[in-house]
Amino acid sequence: MGIVVDSKKAKKSPCKCIITGDPNKPEDRLCFSKGIVGALSDEQELEYCTDILAIETSKKFADRINRFRTLGDILDICLESEEKDFLGCIESQARNLKSGK
């Protein structure tokens, strides 16, 4: 989630986005905008990105971003979990992901 420092500038400026999947889905874009420090959340994209400029990247780079997103999802699950063994939770989630659960 980016820190909004100038919402007027953010709404007027086009968002520059790295597309990692479907360009029409906020979850498949990594976007930045003038007036906001850091990458935008999906909610911020919907609010501030009226115009999107795609940043060209390689497939390898897009895959790397998707791996980081997957790791973030696993960490979110384990941080919210009541399970005491944090590393065990990460291993379990990774196994579940690998087996397609």
Side-chain angles (χ1 to χ4, degrees):
M1 182 165 134
I3 300 169
V4 180
V5 293
D6 188 337
S7 63
K8 288 181 184 179
K9 183 183 261 188
K11 287 183 179 182
K12 288 181 184 177
S13 302
C15 291
K16 295 181 181 177
C17 303
I18 297 169
I19 311 297
T20 60
D22 183 344
N24 298 312
K25 293 182 178 180
E27 62 268 19
D28 287 347
R29 300 186 299 242
L30 179 61
C31 294
F32 303 89
S33 178
K34 291 182 180 179
I36 300 177
V37 177
L40 280 64
S41 67
D42 293 346
E43 293 78 21
Q44 287 175 320
E45 283 185 47
L46 295 172
E47 183 176 352
Y48 294 104
C49 295
T50 54
D51 189 23
I52 294 176
L53 303 174
I55 299 171
E56 295 295 320
T57 62
S58 67
K59 171 130 175 57
K60 185 176 179 180
F61 185 73
D63 289 344
R64 186 177 184 99
I65 290 172
N66 283 327
R67 286 194 305 267
F68 275 112
R69 179 179 292 129
T70 300
L71 180 58
D73 292 344
I74 289 172
L75 292 174
D76 282 344
I77 290 168
C78 292
L79 287 170
E80 297 296 323
S81 172
E82 297 294 322
E83 191 174 327
K84 298 283 186 218
D85 182 9
F86 182 70
L87 292 178
C89 177
I90 293 171
E91 290 172 349
S92 171
Q93 290 297 317
R95 276 193 301 278
N96 290 344
L97 184 65
K98 192 172 185 177
S99 68
K101 291 182 183 178

